Amino acid sequence: MKKENKDTAILLLHCPDKQGILAAVTEFININKGNILYLDQHSTHDVFFMRVEWDLNGFLIPRDKVREYFATLLASKYEMEFNIYFRAQKPRMAIFVSKLSHCLYDLLAHYEAGDWEVEIPLIISNHEELEPIAKKFGIPFYCFPITPENKDMQTAAELELLKRNEITFCVLARYMQIITPEMIQAYPNKIINIHHSFLPAFVGAKPYHAAYERGVKIIGATSHYVTEELDAGPIIEQDVVRISHKDSVGDLLRKGQELEKIVLSRAVEKHIDRKILAYKNKTIVFG
Amino acid sequence: MKKENKDTAILLLHCPDKQGILAAVTEFININKGNILYLDQHSTHDVFFMRVEWDLNGFLIPRDKVREYFATLLASKYEMEFNIYFRAQKPRMAIFVSKLSHCLYDLLAHYEAGDWEVEIPLIISNHEELEPIAKKFGIPFYCFPITPENKDMQTAAELELLKRNEITFCVLARYMQIITPEMIQAYPNKIINIHHSFLPAFVGAKPYHAAYERGVKIIGATSHYVTEELDAGPIIEQDVVRISHKDSVGDLLRKGQELEKIVLSRAVEKHIDRKILAYKNKTIVFG
Amino acid sequence: MKKENKDTAILLLHCPDKQGILAAVTEFININKGNILYLDQHSTHDVFFMRVEWDLNGFLIPRDKVREYFATLLASKYEMEFNIYFRAQKPRMAIFVSKLSHCLYDLLAHYEAGDWEVEIPLIISNHEELEPIAKKFGIPFYCFPITPENKDMQTAAELELLKRNEITFCVLARYMQIITPEMIQAYPNKIINIHHSFLPAFVGAKPYHAAYERGVKIIGATSHYVTEELDAGPIIEQDVVRISHKDSVGDLLRKGQELEKIVLSRAVEKHIDRKILAYKNKTIVFG
Amino acid sequence: MKKENKDTAILLLHCPDKQGILAAVTEFININKGNILYLDQHSTHDVFFMRVEWDLNGFLIPRDKVREYFATLLASKYEMEFNIYFRAQKPRMAIFVSKLSHCLYDLLAHYEAGDWEVEIPLIISNHEELEPIAKKFGIPFYCFPITPENKDMQTAAELELLKRNEITFCVLARYMQIITPEMIQAYPNKIINIHHSFLPAFVGAKPYHAAYERGVKIIGATSHYVTEELDAGPIIEQDVVRISHKDSVGDLLRKGQELEKIVLSRAVEKHIDRKILAYKNKTIVFG
């Protein structure tokens, strides 16, 4: 199901909460003849979060001046941190994989069906196994085998490749390598991982084996932004599936993989739609 | 867990969607020194829906004038339909039951624990079986046995009783009688029913038997406002539970009853918090 | 995750319930040196259902005589209806599609990953749009455009093609054509459909539009065997996802499609593993 | 919904897995004229688990000899550990509470509705707050305030009270005290706790606060048997509910409490029906 591709601006912001912010932002858009298509806001006692999307047709401020005007007229006054995106500028996504194909197929099926307003210029892997899938879909595949010795060098080469391709965010589709701090700093809250457990339960390797050992009755999957602490970044989406004593570790793996692809795709879709605001290791995910 | 009982006003409105409504409403509150505690809005292409709650401490417009000022200054300009509630005025809820106790117990347990800002002045039934429960909780119990001959007369007596007790909404906690048009007109979108199926599947009597016959793998429960068409009113909340071929009709009944009480209590809580806006046989349920 | 491919026999049976059936069946396997790997049974008051799988290594009765011996020694005595399958003989599955690719991709991703012990010799469609996907995966694609005039003729040609390819079951992966009685009779309880609603709610065309109109808070998907009554065959699997007033019909479509592929793949996996027993328009789905 | 109260025997067993156990057990029941009403079994590669329930009407072995005959004729041969229960002998359950009433009300509502074949001779608490609820339901309430100094003495008094009342299992309905080793040894796998998180995430105190801090998108509740390691005993049942960034800690508490009562009641029902077999810190929960 293709979404309509309108010429819109998307503003994501947060700032100290005080009276009148919402009115000020909506008035800024209204008086400049922007038609608000979507608005959602959230506030804790201290902080105000907002996402607003408006039609750029007839908007008085030219596209390349929107950021500047907003910064000058509102952001500084309210101490806002903000980003403005234009729907016409599609995000560019790099997929990282290792040997498991289920998440990769699901992402590529969405991509080919035109479900998402995104470009996928390349796939990176530390193994060659999934190259045939990349070929099927006509997407360049780059293999960077990783050893303890070459990891820094390979990461540098990957980063160079990402920059050359103007990649705006990365998706780890069951990529089985720890991401280096350099990579994380280059893409802060822009690397989406899928962890095959219901975090914070079963951090680290072999979570299905650990879940089996503990005898849980439900297993889960968690997509999150990658930070320097393993499996501890801001959670974007989680889901679970019921299991029973009848399920072997292999059954958990199979049931879990169905979850993983769903949960990862939901997170990727929200990121592409610029509906996620990461703040202090948590996410605001607008509806 | 008791919610804080602040002195707040709650505004629920809908109107034709056009530019500037949100800014106008928030400005109305801001310039009169109201501190917005909660705001949520939703718009389709045509209609704009909004719920806003603000602190009345320091609000310049006196409580008994808020409605008038809002009507004059905003509602007429934007063709709004609206309601203003004050959290200090607790809604008054009547519970209707027949012979099954599970929903009644769940409602009363919430009530006694102080979970909800509500008064329950009375319980009405067409049978005497549950009177001992009402007594346990010290709530007046009125029995109106219904026959085809006396139904109109009994309903009139019930309505009289509801009015005398200044009841603001009714909850049918597995009350097994069709509600009369008179009652519905007296309480439009103010009578909450729990139907023991995933509507619109299995409308009418014996939905668990029907679900068993059809061989579904999931059963559900639905809370909705009562309208004149049976089980067809605006849906407030639904939930489901997985079943299997091992489950007898009795098992469905047991599993379903757990759902019914949860789903009904969630709907009642949302209604008490004035978070539901019914519009054209659907509900906006604010978060 | 590949399952181990053992040389096993799978027996599915049902019969009038009486004492001693279970003991008789397990003894038949035990005394002939079969090692039971899996056993599950279910009984209503009247009917006894059973699935048992045992290792054929060392089993005294030769593979091509198992059916005969079981029929002679047990089935006639207990009035059993039964099927015996051998895991070494992979089922052969035909996929039917129209224009939507999400279920097709999910099935093919499972197939290519080796998740299922199945052969997919061909894909049939009434449209050409998805031929490129079939090509990607190297699976023969046959297009049979359907008009009211040619429907019988095309169905006959499809049936001929299915037989020539020794197809054992069919999967309708969002195939938008009513299946003819001839096809259903050729594949009784062997045509799996995915319907994009929580049956029996929203039978027929455009269920997401109907769900949107009704204002439900949860949508679902249902996989079932095709029978002559539309969307009324034995249900194999269902699942649901929560929606809200914020979701447009387009959002329902998107969320629903994620469900459809999951629910269809679960049903196909159960069918491939011969874990489903259809009886009187319901299914026993063994764990 | 009352279950039928038949005069049946329930056998729960586990033993090393080998050929012929199932046939031997069912034959033992069949040849002695027992009509099997329910049978479920499970085997890992090493261990065989089974629950079978049969009608005692016409069973040749007298009730008070069943255990001995089974031990002699089968259990020793197959190295079985087993328990035999008679449905006519209702388990006797003690409820432990502190200050929160939601789980207590839910248990008592089931009890009073006759949903469960159980006796509840007493309620124990370390606080007096919930005594009025016990009074409402006419159940003796014993208050044992706990301090570091008196804990051993109070536990001894509680144990004495439990024995005098022939209590067969205990339910900790949000009882906020660590259970002593003496109590656990007196009731091994017979003390059911409800922990207000999705274990093994958020072990220990204040799990809702921890869940809020971590920013999870789903919260859960877990019922388990109490062992000496805190929150680490065999899990009986878990369930979850979706939350969002909009939910405060208070919202998590409220949503979680609905889960807690449901999950605890499901575990209690399974225990009463003798459907749980604890083995090596995990549970087999028969369907």
Side-chain angles (χ1 to χ4, degrees), chain C residues 24 54 57 63 83 115 120 143 158 176 193 242 277:
Chain C
W54 69 95
N57 275 322
R63 184 187 306 254
N83 274 298
D115 294 341
I120 304 181
C143 188
E158 287 171 9
M176 305 310 267
N193 186 39
R242 195 165 278 273
L277 213 162

Side-chain angles (χ1 to χ4, degrees), chain C residues 4 6 17 19-23 26-27 29-31 33-41 43 45 246, chain D residues 4 6 17 19-23 26-27 29-31 33-41 43 45 246:
Chain C
E4 297 165 60
K6 286 202 176 134
D17 198 5
Q19 282 189 23
I21 301 170
L22 189 64
T26 56
E27 207 192 319
I29 298 169
N30 287 330
I31 60 170
K33 308 282 185 204
N35 184 26
I36 293 176
L37 300 171
Y38 169 100
L39 182 148
D40 204 356
Q41 53 85 45
S43 78
H45 290 294
K246 292 187 183 174
Chain D
E4 298 165 60
K6 286 201 176 134
D17 198 6
Q19 282 189 24
I21 302 170
L22 189 64
T26 57
E27 207 191 320
I29 298 168
N30 287 329
I31 60 170
K33 308 284 185 204
N35 184 25
I36 293 176
L37 300 171
Y38 170 101
L39 182 146
D40 205 355
Q41 53 84 48
S43 78
H45 289 295
K246 292 186 183 176

